[in-house]
Amino acid sequence: MFKTRKSPRPLTLAALGLAALCALPSVVQAHYIWIERGAKDARLYFGEVAEVREQSPGRLDDIRAPKAWALGAAVPGSGSADHTLTVARTQRYFSLAGALTPQLIARETSYPVKDWSASGLGIVKPMYYARHSAWPLKQPITSTSELPLDIQPVLGSTDAFLVLFNGKPLANTKLVTYAPNDWQQEHKTDDAGRVRLALPWQGQYVLEAIYKESQAGEFEGKSFDTIRHRATLTVVQTRGISAKGTGGGASGHGAMY
């Protein structure tokens, strides 16, 4: 049982993005969940997209009860109800099966309380969320399923993204981009919760954000001081430049939290 208590531009942008990514210093790494998909299936991973994908038995087992949805009508013309996906654990990931749509989301809220005091984070209740989105976004995201912390493409834009917490824009929030060739880049959202990103290379991009909520509580009999929300968005660039020979960007192992 989870309880809380009150506590006292295309070419130019691509070129600029390429230069910024190449110049980026090392970024502290940490674990999160993210979604990858093919034409007929999808997979939920836990770890760090460019570094490690946890397995079972092992740290993948900390992701105990993820839930996933395909957003919007599974069949055109059948309405806008979200479709629950079947989540099945494998040795290396969770398989997501069902009527997949252009918007997929997943969340893991049963992750155990962790003592990360050694990393300066205190006693924490981690919460993980993931979205996989068609990109560029051509239709509004309409859904009855919500992620408390969410990263979304901006409708009609090829470079703008929005970070939300409980449906409201998060200003001055760090957003980390993991490019298909392992380069990483950090930005901060503006006052409207938006950030503009160049995605110069072909392939999969994972965007990640964290929000620390000063909300104490108890989960499974263990008290915590804060809730640490962590969200990802996965999009695929199909028209970028080839990433071949451009790998080896900012990376490095840090605390596994």
Side-chain angles (χ1 to χ4, degrees):
M1 186 70 179
F2 178 64
K3 302 177 183 178
T4 60
R5 61 178 185 272
K6 294 182 180 178
S7 57
R9 299 305 147 182
L11 182 58
T12 302
L13 286 173
L16 290 173
L18 179 63
L21 285 166
C22 292
L24 184 73
S26 293
V27 180
V28 175
Q29 305 262 346
H31 277 29
Y32 42 84
I33 62 172
W34 74 97
I35 299 171
E36 297 186 3
R37 66 178 297 173
K40 297 182 179 180
D41 68 344
R43 298 174 178 180
L44 181 68
Y45 289 93
F46 177 56
E48 302 163 25
V49 65
E51 300 290 341
V52 60
R53 298 176 184 225
E54 297 296 351
Q55 298 188 28
S56 178
R59 288 199 63 197
L60 183 62
D61 297 326
D62 279 345
I63 304 299
R64 297 185 291 186
K67 300 181 185 301
W69 295 264
L71 305 187
V75 179
S78 64
S80 60
D82 300 338
H83 183 80
T84 301
L85 300 177
T86 300
V87 180
R89 184 187 301 273
T90 74
Q91 183 182 0
R92 297 182 295 113
Y93 55 82
F94 292 89
S95 173
L96 308 182
L100 303 184
T101 63
Q103 293 287 334
L104 307 178
I105 63 171
R107 63 189 181 207
E108 168 56 80
T109 59
S110 61
Y111 199 88
V113 171
K114 295 291 185 179
D115 184 352
W116 289 334
S117 301
S119 299
L121 300 175
I123 311 297
V124 177
K125 173 63 182 79
M127 307 283 268
Y128 295 102
Y129 319 104
R131 178 183 292 273
H132 193 295
S133 176
W135 180 84
L137 192 63
K138 297 180 180 179
Q139 295 182 339
I141 295 175
T142 56
S143 170
T144 57
S145 297
E146 297 181 354
L147 301 178
L149 181 62
D150 198 5
I151 309 169
Q152 300 180 1
V154 173
L155 182 65
S157 173
T158 59
D159 65 357
F161 298 86
L162 177 64
V163 181
L164 302 164
F165 183 70
N166 289 337
K168 297 180 179 180
L170 270 183
N172 196 37
T173 298
K174 184 173 74 173
L175 186 71
V176 181
T177 304
Y178 302 92
N181 57 356
D182 298 348
W183 288 103
Q184 299 168 25
Q185 186 177 28
E186 287 185 10
H187 288 268
K188 281 196 173 181
T189 58
D190 61 17
D191 291 341
R194 294 192 178 194
V195 64
R196 305 187 81 89
L197 303 173
L199 308 184
W201 295 296
Q202 292 178 14
Q204 173 182 277
Y205 289 79
V206 175
L207 284 56
E208 177 217 357
I210 299 171
Y211 181 71
K212 182 179 178 181
E213 185 180 10
S214 297
Q215 179 67 67
E218 183 180 293
F219 180 68
E220 295 181 337
K222 294 185 178 180
S223 298
F224 55 85
D225 302 320
T226 59
I227 302 174
R228 196 166 189 258
H229 303 271
R230 194 178 204 111
T232 62
L233 167 67
T234 305
V235 297
V236 177
Q237 167 66 280
T238 61
R239 297 187 177 184
I241 59 178
S242 173
K244 186 176 181 179
T246 63
S251 62
H253 296 283
M256 295 275 192
Y257 52 80

